[in-house]
Amino acid sequence: MKKCKVGIIGCGMISDAYFNAAKRFRNIEVVACADLLGSRAEEKAQQYNVRCCTCEELLRDPEIELVINLTPPQAHAQIAKAALNANKHTYSEKPFGVDLEEARSVMLLAQEKGLQVGCAPDTFLGCGQQTARKLIDDNWIGKVLSGTAIVQGRGPEKWGHAPFFYDKGAGPMLDLGPYYVTSLVNLLGPAVSVTAVTACSEKFRTFGDTVAENYQDKYKPYDAYPVNVNTHQTGVIEFACGANITFIASFEVYRHGHAPIELYGSEGSLQIPDPNTFGGPVKLFRREWPHRDPAEFEFKEVPMPFAYSSNSRSIGAADMAMAIANQRPHRASGELALHVLEIMLAFDKSGAEGRKVQLTTSCKRPAALPLGLLDGEIDA
C-alpha cells in the first residue's frame, strides 16, 4: 500500500497524540514537522524521527501530500489556506475556524483547487461512538425524540496555558463543544436551528502556581487574566430528523452528575460515552424489558464490536488519505466541520439576539465504519 506522506504544522500540546497515533495507520506516514518556535519542532522531530523544517519549507516539499494543522484556533484558517495554495490537502485540529466566513473561505479555496479539507474531532470514529451509532441505525431505541449533551466543569483555569482556553476560538463551546456537536451530527444527522442563552460570571480568572513559557513575559503565578468568551452556554439544537437535544457547555460548574450524552427514543434510551474519548461504555435501555425487579429498570452495558478504543487521534486524517486514494467521501470532512462550527457559533448569536437562529449550512451524515476492521485499518 502506498503511504500518503504527511507534514505536521504545530508541535504544541496536542501534537504527541497525533505523532503517536499516526504510527498505527498503514496508509499514512508523518515525514516532517514545523512550528513557529523552531526549538519545539526540533524536539518533536528528534523524538519521532522526522525532518524538522520551517513552515515554508514544509509547504514547498513536493513529497508531502497532506498537511495536519495543529496550530492555535485563530491560525487554523490561515494555515489551511496556505496549505491549499501549496496544492496540498489539509486536515486541521478543531475548531474549523473562529468565525463562519473564514471557514467558508477555506471550503471555497479547496473547491477551486480541487483539494480535500478535513477537520477534527475524529473521536466519533472510535468504538464507543460507532457502537452507539449502530444501535441507533439498527433501531434499538426507535425514533430519537430528545436528549441531552452536557460538558461542564470549572475549565482549565489554573493551567499554565489557561488564557488560551478563555480567549476567542476556545471557551467551553469551541474547545469542548466540537466533540459533542460532531457526535450528535454523526448520530442524528444535520441540524436546522439553535435556541440558546449564554453567560459569563467573571471577567477575570486567576492562574495557579505555574505559567506556561509563552505567557511568562506577561503573567506571573496567581496573576489574573481576562476572560474573553462566554463561559456558560445552554440551549436546544433542533435536528432535521426531528430530535431536539438540550446542550450545555460550561466552565462555571464545580461538580455535576450528568452523563455526557443521553438520547431518548420511542423504544428506549441510550447512554453514550464522553465524545472526547474513543472508548465506552455504551449503555442501553429498552421499553420492552421486564420491570418487576427494580434491578431490571437500569441501563445495561452493551458489547462494543468496533476497533479503536484507545486514543486514535489522526484516524480522521488516515480516513481522509484513504478516501483521496479511492475517490470516496471522507468522514471527518470540511463540510461536517463547517456545519458543526455554525451550530456552535449559533449559541452566542442566539443568546445575544434573544431569538432562534436558523442554520444556513448542512452536511451529509458521515458514513459509519464497517464492522471487522482491525486496529490500523481503514476501509477503502
Side-chain angles (χ1 to χ4, degrees):
M1 177 187 295
K2 178 182 178 294
K3 290 191 174 185
C4 175
K5 306 296 185 180
V6 175
I8 290 179
I9 295 180
C11 297
M13 292 182 287
I14 196 64
S15 66
D16 289 306
Y18 279 84
F19 278 112
N20 285 316
K23 298 175 185 176
R24 296 163 62 175
F25 298 101
R26 302 165 193 171
N27 67 319
I28 61 173
E29 179 184 4
V30 177
V31 297
C33 68
D35 193 281
L36 286 177
L37 292 176
S39 59
R40 195 154 59 184
E42 289 172 5
E43 177 186 342
K44 298 303 178 186
Q46 184 174 5
Q47 183 178 353
Y48 294 104
N49 194 29
V50 301
R51 296 196 309 276
C52 174
C53 50
T54 66
C55 295
E56 293 76 14
E57 290 168 342
L58 189 150
L59 293 175
R60 287 198 303 266
D61 189 337
E63 179 188 33
I64 294 172
E65 303 169 66
L66 171 62
V67 172
I68 294 181
N69 173 11
L70 305 182
T71 57
Q74 295 181 27
H76 283 180
Q78 175 189 349
I79 296 299
K81 287 192 278 192
L84 292 168
N85 281 320
N87 293 311
K88 301 186 188 302
H89 307 288
T90 179
Y91 181 93
S92 291
E93 239 307 301
K94 50 79 189 168
F96 193 43
V98 296
D99 65 61
L100 204 55
E101 290 313 306
E102 71 171 16
R104 288 187 196 274
S105 71
V106 172
M107 295 297 293
L108 181 61
L109 181 60
Q111 185 177 9
E112 291 172 354
K113 294 282 188 178
L115 295 166
Q116 297 300 316
V117 174
C119 186
D122 53 11
T123 47
F124 73 94
L125 299 174
C127 72
Q129 298 293 318
Q130 287 295 304
T131 298
R133 165 73 181 263
K134 184 160 180 58
L135 289 168
I136 291 170
D137 289 352
D138 290 349
N139 209 40
W140 280 84
I141 64 169
K143 178 178 174 58
V144 178
L145 306 171
S146 62
T148 58
I150 299 174
V151 54
Q152 299 185 127
R154 279 297 294 177
E157 62 179 346
K158 302 298 182 187
W159 290 16
H161 289 89
F164 168 89
F165 295 99
Y166 292 85
D167 204 357
K168 183 180 179 182
M173 184 58 74
L174 290 189
D175 183 51
L176 297 172
Y179 301 105
Y180 287 74
V181 179
T182 302
S183 172
L184 292 172
V185 174
N186 171 59
L187 297 169
L188 301 173
V192 295
S193 74
V194 169
T195 307
V197 292
T198 61
C200 178
S201 69
E202 302 169 79
K203 293 183 178 180
F204 294 91
R205 297 270 178 126
T206 305
F207 275 111
D209 57 5
T210 60
V211 179
E213 181 179 344
N214 48 323
Y215 290 109
Q216 288 286 3
D217 59 338
K218 192 172 182 180
Y219 298 108
K220 296 182 178 64
Y222 304 109
D223 276 356
Y225 56 87
V227 175
N228 297 319
V229 291
N230 280 317
T231 48
H232 184 92
Q233 304 196 36
T234 182
V236 175
I237 307 172
E238 179 188 4
F239 286 82
C241 69
N244 292 291
I245 307 299
T246 299
F247 180 40
I248 303 173
S250 181
F251 282 170
E252 299 286 357
V253 176
Y254 285 100
R255 186 172 178 83
H256 73 90
H258 297 284
I261 299 176
E262 288 191 356
L263 297 180
Y264 313 123
S266 58
E267 303 299 318
S269 301
L270 191 61
Q271 282 189 341
I272 297 162
D274 182 353
N276 193 5
T277 66
F278 284 83
V282 177
K283 297 181 179 181
L284 173 69
F285 181 84
R286 282 175 60 84
R287 71 182 182 93
E288 65 191 36
W289 290 346
H291 309 317
R292 294 188 184 92
D293 183 346
E296 291 293 330
F297 204 79
E298 297 292 340
F299 282 95
K300 295 181 181 179
E301 190 169 332
V302 300
M304 296 188 297
F306 293 89
Y308 304 115
S309 60
S310 61
N311 192 341
S312 306
R313 292 176 196 267
S314 75
I315 187 175
D319 177 71
M320 181 174 167
M322 185 67 79
I324 292 167
N326 291 280
Q327 297 185 329
R328 66 157 171 83
H330 58 289
R331 294 175 170 95
S333 67
E335 178 192 47
L336 169 63
L338 180 65
H339 186 51
V340 167
L341 179 64
E342 186 182 19
I343 294 170
M344 294 188 298
L345 293 177
F347 276 72
D348 267 340
K349 185 175 183 179
S350 176
E353 298 178 5
R355 65 177 180 89
K356 176 188 285 191
V357 172
Q358 299 292 336
L359 301 174
T360 62
T361 63
S362 189
C363 68
K364 292 182 179 178
R365 194 179 179 215
L369 284 179
L371 291 167
L373 290 179
L374 300 177
D375 192 273
E377 288 184 343
I378 297 291
D379 59 310

